[in-house]
């Protein structure tokens, strides 16, 4: 009877080790999936920041303004209606 309990105990121990390894593999797979998703999202974010930088560039803005029949005013054509100092308060 004692041998039966030893064999049962060894079997349970081996089963526990096998279950632990399966759980580690499963957790490792989930971590790899999440890391891959994070890497993809970081690359997408970097690409979107690049595109935003392109659309904010003066060359794009000037081209879009010229398409809309807008022109850049010369400094002599600019009229200031209300002068403000650096604090944003009116000079009166």
């Amino acid at each position: 009877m004692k041998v039966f309990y030893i064999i049962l105990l060894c079997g349970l121990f081996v089963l526990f080790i096998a279950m632990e390894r399966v759980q580690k593999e499963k957790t490792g797979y989930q971590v790899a999936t999440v890391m891959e998703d994070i890497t993809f999202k970081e690359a997408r974010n970097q690409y979107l920041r690049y595109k935003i930088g392109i659309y904010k560039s003066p060359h794009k803005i000037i081209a879009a303004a010229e398409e809309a029949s807008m022109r850049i005013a010369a400094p002599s054509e600019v009229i200031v209606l209300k002068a403000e100092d650096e604090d944003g308060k009116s000079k009166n």
Side-chain angles (χ1 to χ4, degrees):
M1 197 66 170
K2 191 174 185 182
V3 174
F4 174 73
Y5 288 124
I6 292 174
I7 293 174
L8 181 65
L9 185 63
C10 289
L12 288 174
F13 182 70
V14 170
L15 180 65
F16 176 72
I17 290 174
M19 288 174 50
E20 182 181 11
R21 287 184 182 249
V22 168
Q23 187 62 34
K24 283 183 183 179
E25 290 289 327
K26 186 177 178 182
T27 304
Y29 176 75
Q30 290 172 345
V31 168
T33 304
V34 169
M35 289 297 290
E36 183 178 325
D37 191 38
I38 288 171
T39 304
F40 171 74
K41 288 182 179 179
E42 284 176 346
R44 178 77 175 155
N45 190 22
Q46 185 178 7
Y47 172 74
L48 291 174
R49 286 182 189 271
Y50 167 74
K51 292 298 273 185
I52 287 170
I54 287 175
Y55 289 128
K56 285 176 130 181
S57 72
H59 300 296
K60 274 284 197 188
I61 294 171
I62 290 171
E66 287 173 352
E67 272 184 27
S69 300
M70 300 173 116
R71 64 182 181 84
I72 299 173
S76 61
E77 296 174 341
V78 176
I79 300 172
V80 177
L81 299 177
K82 188 176 185 182
E84 296 182 352
D85 55 1
E86 287 123 26
D87 297 333
K89 298 179 183 174
S90 294
K91 290 183 181 178
N92 288 335

